[in-house]
Amino acid sequence: MKNEAGNNTISEILSEPQVWRKCLDELERTKTLETIRRKFPDEVEYVFVGCGSSYYLAQAAAATWSLITRSSARALPASEIMLFPKLLPEPCQPVLISRSGFTSEVLEAAEYLERRRNMRTLAVTCGSNTPLEKLAASTICLPAADERSTVMTRSYTSMLLALQSLAGLRAGDTGFLKALRELPEKAEASLPGVNRTIQSLVDSRTFADYVFLGHGPFYGVAQEAMLKVKEMSCSYAQCFHTLEFRHGPKSIVSPETLISFFLSDSGSEAETGVLAEVKDLGGTTLAIADRADPTARRAADYLIELSLDIPEVARAAAMIVPGQLLGFYTGVRKGLNPDEPRNLTRVVVLGGDKDGGLPGAAT
Ligand code: F1P
């Protein structure tokens, strides 16, 4: 395949349903999650930790954990643990998320938690034999989900699915676990239509800036969509909880701003109310839903319906894919190469510690 701009990234995005199936099958075959389930406590607060995309993944994982296991969970950037360690609740169960397993802040957090706070940590990564795996008490490795690209796409969704599966296992929620197992096949069926809709949206016009809105498990998804558009298209993008958008940020609404709504079931009426309001204010709207109600249909300039018909929390991984595609096609339209995003490297290694970083890591 000739080396067109973004070849690696688009093929990794379009491979997601197959990679999800591969990762879930491997976790099932090795019984990794059952082993992890027995090793870690139930009754403490889980704290999901990461950087960049992996922090936004942590947000979606923490919301999933709270909703599915009914026990409290939160997300923190790894740098917060480094700089404000007292923010960490005591006791808690830290879960450290890093595609590479080389990111300095995550390694520093792992070292601090394991050695200074004597906490056993669970790590989730796509790398093999990484410094993170050496530091953590247990590690979930998903090598099939790793990417050649700098930006995280299938690694975000696959690591999220692994953590959602662990939550379902912990809660004994067989319906949720079944929905996650069905997701790859259902998402594979809707992906070509989603891809075409986003391509035609980007082909139809460009936007001055982007806003992404979501609640619950879809807030971390909206955050990640914001980052994908920033990383791959160097566009200005913001993210808010949907109803928070009313409290000031809506002053920026204009036809040149594309405002994307990740619509949930639980918050559908309230979220669709904001969608209708933004449309009335003259904003350009993209609604991403499983199935859109008549109000959403009327207010959406562009509409993605995933039609997965599975419980909303199980849809989180599939909901980010339109955001990944929006960032990709917008970048290509702007003449950029999403495989080589401006100013970015695959791994952020602070202080130039060459041993700790992959080739090309920032210092
Ligand atoms: C985290 C991360 C990515 C970002 C870029 C630099 O990496 O910040 O989220 O997109 O690739 O690294 P990791 O800790 O998940 O490997």
Side-chain angles (χ1 to χ4, degrees):
M1 182 186 292
K2 67 181 188 317
N3 188 23
E4 280 169 14
N7 260 350
N8 289 336
T9 306
I10 191 62
S11 61
E12 285 155 359
I13 295 172
L14 297 177
S15 74
E16 286 185 274
Q18 297 94 320
V19 168
W20 301 342
R21 182 182 298 112
K22 230 169 144 183
C23 290
L24 291 174
D25 286 351
E26 184 64 9
L27 289 171
E28 177 66 29
R29 186 185 67 79
T30 57
K31 297 296 179 202
T32 300
L33 299 182
E34 286 77 0
T35 307
I36 297 277
R37 165 88 180 74
R38 286 192 296 272
K39 281 185 75 171
F40 290 94
D42 281 347
E43 66 291 343
V44 293
E45 179 173 2
Y46 273 58
V47 180
F48 297 83
V49 178
C51 299
S53 293
S54 296
Y55 169 50
Y56 301 143
L57 196 176
Q59 290 179 321
T64 298
W65 199 266
S66 300
L67 293 169
I68 297 298
T69 69
R70 304 243 190 299
S71 56
S72 64
R74 74 179 77 175
L76 279 175
S79 49
E80 281 285 77
I81 295 175
M82 277 170 52
L83 305 178
F84 290 88
K86 297 253 185 303
L87 283 176
L88 204 72
E90 182 88 55
C92 75
Q93 177 52 59
V95 181
L96 305 175
I97 305 164
S98 173
R99 166 186 65 177
S100 62
F102 278 80
T103 298
S104 297
E105 295 104 305
V106 177
L107 297 182
E108 288 203 25
E111 182 123 23
Y112 166 76
L113 293 167
E114 286 280 348
R115 298 184 182 160
R116 300 264 301 281
R117 297 282 288 269
N118 193 27
M119 289 177 163
R120 299 295 69 78
T121 59
L122 168 60
V124 188
T125 182
C126 298
S128 304
N129 306 315
T130 63
L132 178 59
E133 188 174 355
K134 292 181 178 67
L135 280 167
S138 292
T139 301
I140 299 171
C141 284
L142 303 172
D146 204 354
E147 292 109 354
R148 291 175 60 190
S149 306
T150 295
V151 299
M152 291 173 63
T153 52
R154 68 190 189 194
S155 57
Y156 175 101
T157 51
S158 302
M159 290 194 284
L160 175 57
L161 280 173
L163 288 170
Q164 290 190 315
S165 301
L166 185 60
L169 196 62
R170 167 132 180 258
D173 189 333
T174 50
F176 182 66
L177 289 168
K178 180 172 175 293
L180 293 177
R181 294 293 303 169
E182 290 169 356
L183 181 64
E185 188 174 352
K186 287 174 174 252
E188 200 160 37
S190 67
L191 184 55
V194 171
N195 192 28
R196 281 192 301 275
T197 303
I198 297 294
Q199 268 183 297
S200 62
L201 185 168
V202 174
D203 290 346
S204 67
R205 56 169 298 187
T206 57
F207 296 92
D209 61 340
Y210 299 80
V211 173
F212 298 90
L213 304 175
H215 275 287
F218 306 117
Y219 178 66
V221 169
Q223 291 265 65
E224 176 60 4
M226 167 197 64
L227 185 60
K228 290 297 82 97
V229 165
K230 280 180 180 172
E231 289 181 331
M232 290 197 265
S233 76
C234 297
S235 305
Y236 182 63
Q238 302 178 78
C239 176
F240 304 94
H241 286 92
T242 309
L243 271 67
E244 272 298 295
F245 189 58
R246 280 198 176 112
H247 297 269
K250 77 175 177 181
S251 57
I252 65 159
V253 171
S254 80
E256 288 68 50
T257 302
L258 179 64
I259 299 166
S260 300
F261 292 76
F262 291 92
L263 296 174
S264 67
D265 298 345
S266 308
S268 144
E269 190 177 339
E271 294 162 353
T272 308
V274 179
L275 170 60
E277 187 178 329
V278 163
K279 181 68 188 147
D280 291 346
L281 289 172
T284 305
T285 55
L286 164 62
I288 300 164
D290 198 47
R291 292 188 185 278
D293 67 20
T295 309
R297 279 181 188 288
R298 278 194 302 276
D301 294 301
Y302 302 93
L303 175 63
I304 297 264
E305 287 188 292
L306 294 177
S307 313
L308 302 172
D309 297 323
I310 58 178
E312 63 181 343
V313 180
R315 302 196 301 255
M319 288 281 272
I320 183 56
V321 176
Q324 296 167 344
L325 291 166
L326 180 64
F328 175 81
Y329 289 118
T330 303
V332 171
R333 171 157 182 160
K334 291 174 73 171
L336 301 170
N337 179 3
D339 284 357
E340 291 164 17
R342 192 173 68 186
N343 302 338
L344 298 185
T345 56
R346 273 193 107 252
V347 183
V348 173
V349 175
L350 303 180
D353 169 5
K354 294 291 181 222
D355 302 337
L358 291 173
T363 54

